[in-house]
Coordinates of all heavy atoms in Angstrom, one line a residue:
R100 N 5.8 17.4 11.7 CA 6.5 17.0 13.0 C 7.6 16.0 12.7 O 8.6 16.0 13.2 CB 5.5 16.6 14.1 CG 6.2 16.5 15.5 CD 5.1 16.4 16.5 NE 5.8 16.4 17.8 CZ 5.1 16.1 18.9 NH1 3.8 16.0 18.9 NH2 5.7 16.1 20.1
Y101 N 7.2 14.9 12.0 CA 8.1 13.8 11.7 C 8.1 13.4 10.1 O 7.5 12.5 9.7 CB 7.6 12.5 12.5 CG 7.6 12.7 14.0 CD1 6.3 12.9 14.6 CD2 8.7 12.8 14.7 CE1 6.2 13.1 15.9 CE2 8.7 12.9 16.1 CZ 7.4 13.1 16.7 OH 7.3 13.2 18.1
P102 N 8.7 14.2 9.4 CA 8.6 14.0 7.9 C 9.2 12.7 7.4 O 8.6 12.1 6.5 CB 9.3 15.3 7.3 CG 10.1 15.9 8.4 CD 9.5 15.4 9.7
K103 N 10.4 12.4 8.0 CA 11.0 11.1 7.4 C 10.2 9.8 7.9 O 9.9 8.9 7.0 CB 12.3 11.0 7.9 CG 13.4 11.9 7.3 CD 14.7 11.7 7.9 CE 15.7 12.8 7.3 NZ 17.1 12.6 7.9
V104 N 9.8 9.8 9.1 CA 9.0 8.8 9.6 C 7.6 8.7 8.8 O 7.1 7.6 8.4 CB 8.7 8.9 11.1 CG1 7.7 7.9 11.6 CG2 10.0 8.8 11.9
S105 N 6.9 9.9 8.6 CA 5.7 9.9 7.9 C 5.8 9.4 6.5 O 5.0 8.7 6.0 CB 5.2 11.3 7.9 OG 4.9 11.7 9.3
L106 N 6.9 9.8 5.9 CA 7.1 9.4 4.4 C 7.2 7.9 4.4 O 6.6 7.2 3.5 CB 8.4 10.0 3.8 CG 8.7 9.6 2.4 CD1 7.6 10.0 1.4 CD2 10.1 10.1 2.0
L107 N 8.1 7.2 5.2 CA 8.2 5.8 5.2 C 6.9 5.1 5.5 O 6.6 4.0 4.9 CB 9.4 5.4 6.1 CG 10.8 5.6 5.7 CD1 11.7 5.4 6.8 CD2 11.1 4.9 4.5
T108 N 6.2 5.6 6.5 CA 5.0 4.9 7.0 C 4.0 5.0 6.0 O 3.3 4.1 5.5 CB 4.5 5.6 8.3 OG1 5.5 5.6 9.3 CG2 3.2 5.0 8.8
L109 N 3.9 6.2 5.2 CA 2.9 6.4 4.2 C 3.2 5.5 3.0 O 2.3 4.9 2.4 CB 2.9 7.8 3.8 CG 1.7 8.2 2.9 CD1 0.3 7.9 3.5 CD2 1.7 9.7 2.5
M110 N 4.5 5.3 2.7 CA 4.9 4.4 1.6 C 4.5 3.0 1.9 O 4.0 2.3 1.0 CB 6.4 4.5 1.3 CG 6.8 5.8 0.7 SD 8.6 6.1 0.5 CE 9.0 4.7 -0.3
G111 N 4.7 2.5 3.0 CA 4.4 1.2 3.4 C 2.9 1.0 3.5 O 2.4 -0.1 2.9
L112 N 2.1 1.9 4.0 CA 0.7 1.8 4.0 C 0.0 1.9 2.6 O -0.8 1.1 2.3 CB 0.0 2.9 4.9 CG 0.4 2.8 6.4 CD1 -0.1 4.1 7.1 CD2 -0.3 1.6 7.0
L113 N 0.6 2.8 1.8 CA 0.1 2.8 0.4 C 0.4 1.5 -0.4 O -0.5 1.0 -1.1 CB 0.7 4.0 -0.4 CG 0.1 5.4 -0.1 CD1 0.8 6.5 -0.7 CD2 -1.4 5.5 -0.5
L114 N 1.5 1.0 -0.1 CA 1.9 -0.3 -0.9 C 0.9 -1.4 -0.4 O 0.4 -2.2 -1.2 CB 3.3 -0.6 -0.5 CG 4.0 -1.7 -1.4 CD1 3.8 -1.5 -2.8 CD2 5.4 -1.9 -1.0
I115 N 0.7 -1.5 0.9 CA -0.3 -2.5 1.4 C -1.7 -2.3 0.9 O -2.3 -3.3 0.4 CB -0.3 -2.5 2.9 CG1 1.0 -3.0 3.5 CG2 -1.5 -3.4 3.5 CD1 1.2 -2.8 5.0
F116 N -2.1 -1.0 0.8 CA -3.5 -0.8 0.3 C -3.6 -1.1 -1.2 O -4.5 -1.8 -1.5 CB -3.8 0.7 0.5 CG -5.2 1.1 0.2 CD1 -6.2 1.0 1.2 CD2 -5.5 1.7 -1.1 CE1 -7.5 1.4 0.9 CE2 -6.8 2.0 -1.3 CZ -7.8 2.0 -0.4
V117 N -2.6 -0.7 -2.0 CA -2.7 -1.0 -3.4 C -2.5 -2.4 -3.6 O -3.2 -3.0 -4.5 CB -1.6 -0.1 -4.2 CG1 -1.5 -0.6 -5.6 CG2 -2.0 1.4 -4.1
A118 N -1.7 -3.1 -2.9 CA -1.3 -4.5 -3.2 C -2.7 -5.4 -2.8 O -3.0 -6.3 -3.4 CB -0.2 -5.0 -2.4
D119 N -3.3 -5.0 -1.7 CA -4.5 -5.8 -1.3 C -5.6 -5.7 -2.4 O -6.1 -6.8 -2.8 CB -5.1 -5.1 -0.1 CG -4.7 -5.8 1.3 OD1 -4.1 -6.8 1.2 OD2 -5.1 -5.2 2.3
F120 N -5.7 -4.6 -2.9 CA -6.8 -4.4 -4.0 C -6.2 -5.2 -5.3 O -6.9 -5.9 -5.9 CB -7.0 -2.9 -4.3 CG -8.1 -2.8 -5.4 CD1 -9.4 -3.0 -5.1 CD2 -7.8 -2.5 -6.7 CE1 -10.4 -2.7 -6.1 CE2 -8.6 -2.3 -7.6 CZ -10.0 -2.4 -7.4
L121 N -5.0 -4.8 -5.7 CA -4.5 -5.3 -7.0 C -4.4 -6.9 -7.0 O -4.8 -7.5 -7.9 CB -3.1 -4.7 -7.2 CG -2.4 -5.1 -8.6 CD1 -3.2 -4.5 -9.7 CD2 -1.0 -4.6 -8.5
F122 N -3.8 -7.4 -6.0 CA -3.7 -8.9 -5.9 C -5.1 -9.6 -5.7 O -5.3 -10.8 -6.2 CB -2.7 -9.4 -4.9 CG -1.3 -9.1 -5.3 CD1 -0.5 -8.1 -4.7 CD2 -0.8 -9.8 -6.4 CE1 0.8 -7.9 -5.2 CE2 0.5 -9.6 -6.8 CZ 1.3 -8.6 -6.2
G123 N -6.0 -9.0 -5.1 CA -7.4 -9.4 -5.1 C -8.0 -9.6 -6.5 O -8.6 -10.6 -6.8
V124 N -7.7 -8.5 -7.3 CA -8.2 -8.6 -8.7 C -7.5 -9.6 -9.5 O -8.1 -10.4 -10.2 CB -8.1 -7.2 -9.3 CG1 -8.3 -7.3 -10.8 CG2 -9.0 -6.2 -8.7
I125 N -6.2 -9.7 -9.4 CA -5.4 -10.6 -10.1 C -5.8 -12.1 -9.7 O -5.9 -12.9 -10.6 CB -3.9 -10.5 -9.8 CG1 -3.4 -9.1 -10.5 CG2 -3.0 -11.6 -10.3 CD1 -2.0 -8.7 -10.2
F126 N -5.9 -12.4 -8.4 CA -6.2 -13.8 -8.1 C -7.7 -14.2 -8.5 O -8.0 -15.3 -8.6 CB -6.0 -14.0 -6.6 CG -4.6 -14.2 -6.3 CD1 -3.8 -13.3 -5.6 CD2 -3.9 -15.4 -6.6 CE1 -2.4 -13.5 -5.3 CE2 -2.6 -15.7 -6.4 CZ -1.9 -14.7 -5.6
I127 N -8.6 -13.2 -8.7 CA -9.9 -13.5 -9.2 C -9.9 -13.8 -10.6 O -10.6 -14.7 -11.2 CB -11.0 -12.4 -8.8 CG1 -11.1 -12.5 -7.2 CG2 -12.2 -12.6 -9.5 CD1 -11.9 -11.3 -6.7
W128 N -9.2 -13.0 -11.4 CA -9.2 -13.2 -12.9 C -8.2 -14.1 -13.4 O -8.3 -14.5 -14.6 CB -9.2 -11.7 -13.6 CG -10.5 -11.2 -13.8 CD1 -11.2 -11.5 -14.9 CD2 -11.3 -10.3 -13.1 NE1 -12.4 -10.8 -14.8 CE2 -12.4 -10.0 -13.7 CE3 -11.0 -9.6 -11.9 CZ2 -13.5 -9.2 -13.3 CZ3 -11.9 -8.7 -11.4 CH2 -13.2 -8.6 -12.1
A129 N -7.1 -14.4 -12.7 CA -6.1 -15.3 -13.3 C -6.6 -16.7 -13.7 O -6.2 -17.1 -14.7 CB -5.0 -15.4 -12.2

């Protein structure tokens, strides 16, 4: 129904999800 909106939203959500996990690991082992 909304391909452009969905793409941008999914990109933002994926970035937040991956960054939460990745930076959690980095800040523990750094």
Side-chain angles (χ1 to χ4, degrees):
R100 191 168 182 185
Y101 303 105
K103 290 180 185 178
V104 172
S105 297
L106 177 63
L107 288 171
T108 305
L109 192 60
M110 288 171 58
L112 291 171
L113 281 171
L114 193 55
I115 291 170
F116 187 85
V117 171
D119 264 352
F120 182 79
L121 183 67
F122 286 110
V124 171
I125 289 171
F126 280 109
I127 287 173
W128 266 277

